[in-house]
Amino acid sequence: MMFFATGCNEKKPVAADSTDVVTVDSDSIEVMEDTLVVEQVIPKAADELFDDFIYLFCNNKKHQVSRIQWPLREISGKNVKLVQRKQWGMEQLYMPQGYYTLILDDNKDLKLSKDTTLEHVVVEKIFLEEQSVRKFNFDRQEGKWMLTSVENGAVVSNKNASFLQFYEKFAADSAFQAESLAESMSFSGPDPEDDSHDIKTKITPEDWPYFTPGELPQGVLYNIVYGQQYKESNHKVFLLRGISNGQEMEMNFKLVDGEWQLVGLKV
């Protein structure tokens, strides 16, 4: 079983647990600028899908600086700080780890990432241990995506607070993870005995060691909100999506008697 070019029993990349904006040194910037020729005109098509825009935004310094509304408002509760252009460091978001997260109430929301009519998207940087969230708010203005503000807040105020608090422990504590498995879980993915074939089956907690996706992301999560409307729901879809490689892992959780349980896995 493979995910993001790692085996299911091997460790996946774990996001750095830092609250600082990523600052790239001049040599790294020159490399990125050589890779993506900054003098070229960015085609309008790059603004149609948010995923196309954000890839360029995170990998091209000059393009990033041109797509921030200066001075950038950084909001922390009732306090508003105006960040000037010269104070900004290169922000790569989830690009270094090679994947991002989607937290959904319903699989129907998966189609939102392909919606070319979106006008507002939020990238949430979730610090699980600190229980804080840094939101990067992007708005389409005159056909161009722009970073318009950054908000700092607490996980407890997030609409996925209950699930995020559960997930932190689920990902880090193997005993708690075992206790949080439903008696019967759906599985769709490579056969653990022959990974050249896919299977769809039901598995039990006793089968879990053979099907487990391995170490889950801890510390920091990046969740993209394309417009999905979160509500008090007894169902959560936790999707890890690779950047540019088409690989995904989907975990389905259900709230049973006030406790979240894993009820399905798709890889």
Side-chain angles (χ1 to χ4, degrees):
M1 191 186 308
M2 302 294 288
F3 181 65
F4 305 136
T6 63
C8 65
N9 291 317
E10 296 175 359
K11 293 193 176 185
K12 299 183 182 62
V14 178
D17 192 8
S18 170
T19 58
D20 295 331
V21 170
V22 175
T23 301
V24 180
D25 60 39
S26 58
D27 291 339
S28 298
I29 291 171
E30 289 174 3
V31 170
M32 284 189 292
E33 292 180 352
D34 288 341
T35 303
L36 295 170
V37 181
V38 297
E39 289 80 9
Q40 71 182 10
V41 176
I42 303 298
K44 290 182 66 176
D47 278 298
E48 290 183 0
L49 281 177
F50 179 79
D51 286 358
D52 293 338
F53 155 76
I54 199 66
Y55 183 83
L56 288 173
F57 181 87
C58 292
N59 287 288
N60 184 312
K61 184 186 179 184
K62 288 187 177 180
H63 183 56
Q64 180 172 124
V65 169
S66 72
R67 291 304 186 90
I68 298 176
Q69 188 171 287
W70 304 108
L72 180 67
R73 292 183 305 134
E74 181 169 347
I75 305 163
S76 302
K78 295 182 179 180
N79 298 320
V80 179
K81 174 184 177 182
L82 297 180
V83 179
Q84 303 298 328
R85 180 170 175 168
K86 63 182 180 181
Q87 298 173 301
W88 184 256
M90 181 70 178
E91 176 59 76
Q92 293 185 284
L93 297 174
Y94 46 83
M95 293 298 164
Q97 67 185 24
Y99 63 93
Y100 60 91
T101 305
L102 289 177
I103 301 174
L104 312 169
D105 286 345
D106 195 294
N107 291 79
K108 292 186 296 184
D109 288 337
L110 285 171
K111 63 184 179 183
L112 289 172
S113 65
K114 302 300 181 183
D115 188 347
T116 58
T117 68
L118 294 175
E119 297 292 330
H120 179 70
V121 173
V122 179
V123 178
E124 297 180 326
K125 187 175 185 178
I126 304 168
F127 301 91
L128 294 172
E129 293 182 9
E130 292 88 344
Q131 290 289 290
S132 63
V133 182
R134 185 172 171 85
K135 296 182 180 181
F136 296 83
N137 296 307
F138 293 89
D139 293 278
R140 201 200 300 259
Q141 300 179 346
E142 299 181 352
K144 295 182 178 181
W145 283 105
M146 301 287 294
L147 175 62
T148 56
S149 66
V150 176
E151 294 180 66
N152 300 308
V155 164
V156 69
S157 301
N158 191 276
K159 292 183 178 179
N160 289 312
S162 169
F163 177 76
L164 289 170
Q165 290 165 352
F166 157 80
Y167 173 80
E168 179 191 10
K169 193 172 181 180
F170 182 87
D173 187 332
S174 59
F176 179 76
Q177 184 177 114
E179 295 170 358
S180 302
L181 304 175
E183 292 183 4
S184 178
M185 296 168 282
S186 63
F187 174 82
S188 177
D191 186 335
E193 296 182 354
D194 182 1
D195 61 12
S196 64
H197 294 86
D198 288 346
I199 60 171
K200 290 184 178 181
T201 186
K202 292 286 186 179
I203 62 175
T204 67
E206 289 73 24
D207 301 319
W208 181 245
Y210 303 102
F211 292 87
T212 175
E215 185 172 324
L216 296 171
Q218 301 175 38
V220 177
L221 295 180
Y222 285 94
N223 179 44
I224 303 182
V225 183
Y226 293 100
Q228 54 265 40
Q229 298 297 313
Y230 295 116
K231 56 185 181 296
E232 290 296 329
S233 172
N234 64 356
H235 177 238
K236 292 292 180 185
V237 179
F238 184 82
L239 182 73
L240 294 179
R241 178 173 285 175
I243 299 171
S244 303
N245 60 15
Q247 294 182 318
E248 292 186 349
M249 181 186 72
E250 179 183 313
M251 305 181 79
N252 280 268
F253 295 87
K254 187 175 181 181
L255 198 60
V256 179
D257 297 328
E259 302 291 339
W260 287 103
Q261 290 186 352
L262 177 67
V263 296
L265 173 66
K266 183 178 179 180
V267 294

